[in-house]
Amino acid sequence: MRFVVSERCVGRIGPAVGAVLVLAACAAGGGDGASAGWPGAGKQAYGPAPTEAVDSLNSVGSVGSVRAAFGRAAGTMDLAGPGAASGPVAEVRQAGAPATTLSITEGEVGEVGPHGTITYPSVTSCLVVTVYLRDGGKVGGHASLFQVPGKYYSDEVLPAIKRAVGGRRVAAVDVSGAVGAWNPSYFQKAIERYTDGSVPEPTGDAKGIGDVVAKILGRQGKEVTVRDVPDGDITR
């Protein structure tokens, strides 16, 4: 297992904790801090859209302001049929015609064929996971700290990737993004699922992240690379 972590990842811990604390401030002040809307609002979306979460100070508040900062609502579609992954996906993939370029936003999982390119836009507090297949294709997932309505929670992204990969041979797994904003446990239990207010603080534990990713995907640790990268779009 390889880890490439720069010092800048430490700086992300503050914003990540601050985002969680926003929930307590909103609850105490009687407001929800929600924005007027998200880019992509109004598009068709499928799946659960929870309206509240529990923060690390035992306060329940709207996550509108957090979602406005860390994610956006966008159209999703459930796929059915051989080779299709059910759940929030980046786009409809026609049988026999895998995408060659694909944009995967927060909470989505998607796939490109051999020599294809995946772009993960606006990665500031997220981690993106790309599985490189032996045939040259890629399966990717964009895990956000907080669930975007209609999309996967952080603890659902890796299982969805594993289902999409199925029994195909894997060459390598790349985990990139805001390492310092994450606790490895967020891949096992989403922040929104902590109903007792005991949300673990971000640790920036690259090794722990790699271990969890390998375990959930059913891969060997040596196949997984974890690296902190600058904010912005990530292309794989």
Side-chain angles (χ1 to χ4, degrees):
M1 190 176 299
R2 294 173 292 159
F3 309 104
V4 184
V5 184
S6 66
E7 293 182 0
R8 71 183 303 282
C9 72
V10 177
R12 287 195 178 108
I13 296 178
V17 175
V20 176
L21 297 183
V22 164
L23 303 180
C26 291
D32 63 7
S35 65
W38 303 282
K43 295 183 180 179
Q44 187 78 24
Y46 298 82
T51 58
E52 63 182 19
V54 180
D55 64 28
S56 59
L57 296 182
N58 297 305
S59 298
V60 178
S62 168
V63 297
S65 60
V66 177
R67 285 173 175 157
F70 290 112
R72 61 173 179 268
T76 63
M77 184 171 293
D78 288 327
L79 300 186
S86 177
V89 295
E91 70 173 25
V92 176
R93 288 177 279 113
Q94 299 178 352
T100 55
T101 61
L102 190 64
S103 177
I104 300 180
T105 62
E106 294 93 335
E108 291 183 338
V109 169
E111 178 178 353
V112 294
H115 312 298
T117 299
I118 296 176
T119 298
Y120 304 95
S122 305
V123 179
T124 57
S125 65
C126 303
L127 285 178
V128 299
V129 180
T130 308
V131 176
Y132 291 81
L133 303 174
R134 293 277 185 180
D135 67 3
K138 303 182 187 81
V139 176
H142 193 148
S144 57
L145 285 174
F146 297 90
Q147 191 242 10
V148 175
K151 306 297 183 72
Y152 286 123
Y153 288 89
S154 62
D155 57 6
E156 296 174 328
V157 170
L158 293 177
I161 291 175
K162 184 177 181 179
R163 290 194 300 272
V165 171
R168 290 178 290 179
R169 298 178 65 190
V170 171
V173 179
D174 176 86
V175 183
S176 299
V179 172
W182 280 70
N183 185 301
S185 67
Y186 299 163
F187 274 125
Q188 298 169 304
K189 184 175 181 179
I191 288 175
E192 291 93 340
R193 303 194 197 280
Y194 286 88
T195 58
D196 60 357
S198 60
V199 180
E201 295 292 333
T203 61
D205 179 6
K207 183 181 185 305
I209 289 171
D211 289 342
V212 168
V213 170
K215 179 180 179 180
I216 295 177
L217 292 183
R219 311 310 310 175
Q220 297 182 20
K222 65 182 181 180
E223 297 176 301
V224 180
T225 297
V226 179
R227 47 182 164 173
D228 181 77
V229 301
D231 295 346
D233 296 351
I234 294 177
T235 300
R236 294 288 181 260

